[in-house]
Amino acid sequence: MVGVFYGLVLIELMLLLLTPSRQQRVSIVFLVLLAIIFAYVPITVSDNWVYNWYYTHPEVPTKFEPVFNQVMQMATKVGLSYQQFKLVIFTIEMSCMAWGLNIFQVDNKRVVLLCYTAIQFFESGVQLRNYLMATVVFVAIAYLWRDKRFDTMYFVMLVGLAAGIQLAAVFFLLLLPMRRLRTRNAQL
């Protein structure tokens, strides 16, 4: 299945090179195939096993953060299988990436998606909370650097939401004082 995935990446890369620069949009077919691989290809590492076990045993109290617990419990109550739950997580992650890229005003979203999938895609299917938190923080950082009215508040609220998914998100609050640096090079 890894070969199929990298074949998809190569096809997308070829399409990227052949498409005029003004029409470079993310392929829906590529996203659908990524979603299927993300949710349905069995990954046998311990993190995936733990998430699956807690998801299929909702009566057992978990040590996950409250927002992630709520999302799991809602999905369980609706009757979603673990794979369908992973599809929901994938959809949220890709939506957050698109949202953040729009705020950052990135023209070529296809290149970003290819870089993300080629580097981190298989890990994000294993560490559900980490990558869900990371995509929410990505949107938060986009707001922080946009620097319009209320953007700092959006940043703090989104980091708070992300901390409810994975507590490590609170460290991104350290970006607040960095944004106040005088030059863009110092900020970067």
Side-chain angles (χ1 to χ4, degrees), residues 91-123:
T91 303
I92 294 169
E93 286 179 358
M94 291 298 121
S95 298
C96 285
M97 285 185 70
W99 185 10
L101 290 172
N102 283 335
I103 294 169
F104 274 125
Q105 299 176 344
V106 172
D107 291 330
N108 199 338
K109 293 169 183 60
R110 184 180 260 173
V111 170
V112 174
L113 182 62
L114 281 173
C115 291
Y116 166 74
T117 56
I119 297 167
Q120 299 172 333
F121 179 74
F122 285 106
E123 196 173 323

Side-chain angles (χ1 to χ4, degrees), residues 1-62:
M1 199 50 135
V2 173
V4 171
F5 168 75
Y6 283 110
L8 289 172
V9 169
L10 285 174
I11 290 169
E12 275 297 300
L13 185 58
M14 287 180 359
L15 289 173
L16 174 70
L17 295 173
L18 297 174
T19 306
S21 62
R22 292 187 181 162
Q23 297 176 359
Q24 292 178 345
R25 295 192 177 119
V26 174
S27 169
I28 298 300
V29 173
F30 185 62
L31 283 175
V32 168
L33 292 172
L34 287 179
I36 291 169
I37 292 170
F38 183 89
Y40 292 101
V41 172
I43 301 169
T44 57
V45 297
S46 62
D47 282 359
N48 193 55
W49 181 85
V50 169
Y51 285 124
N52 191 353
W53 192 83
Y54 277 117
Y55 185 81
T56 55
H57 296 83
E59 70 282 354
V60 178
T62 69

Side-chain angles (χ1 to χ4, degrees), residues 58-176:
E59 70 282 354
V60 178
T62 69
K63 297 181 180 186
F64 299 142
E65 283 77 355
V67 173
F68 190 78
N69 279 337
Q70 289 299 317
V71 171
M72 275 195 335
Q73 289 172 2
M74 285 190 305
T76 303
K77 286 179 185 174
V78 171
L80 298 179
S81 68
Y82 179 64
Q83 288 76 19
Q84 292 167 330
F85 170 68
K86 286 177 72 175
L87 280 175
V88 169
I89 296 296
F90 178 84
T91 303
I92 294 169
E93 286 179 358
M94 291 298 121
S95 298
C96 285
M97 285 185 70
W99 185 10
L101 290 172
N102 283 335
I103 294 169
F104 274 125
Q105 299 176 344
V106 172
D107 291 330
N108 199 338
K109 293 169 183 60
R110 184 180 260 173
V111 170
V112 174
L113 182 62
L114 281 173
C115 291
Y116 166 74
T117 56
I119 297 167
Q120 299 172 333
F121 179 74
F122 285 106
E123 196 173 323
S124 68
V126 175
Q127 299 192 6
L128 293 179
R129 289 182 308 141
N130 292 342
Y131 282 94
L132 183 58
M133 175 271 299
T135 56
V136 173
V137 167
F138 176 66
V139 175
I141 291 169
Y143 275 114
L144 184 66
W145 256 262
R146 188 174 73 168
D147 201 25
K148 290 185 178 178
R149 188 174 185 194
F150 300 117
D151 282 348
T152 302
M153 179 182 68
Y154 295 148
F155 170 78
V156 172
M157 288 175 18
L158 285 167
V159 168
L161 174 67
I165 297 168
Q166 172 76 341
L167 191 57
V170 296
F171 291 107
F172 287 96
L173 291 174
L174 295 173
L175 292 175
L176 272 171

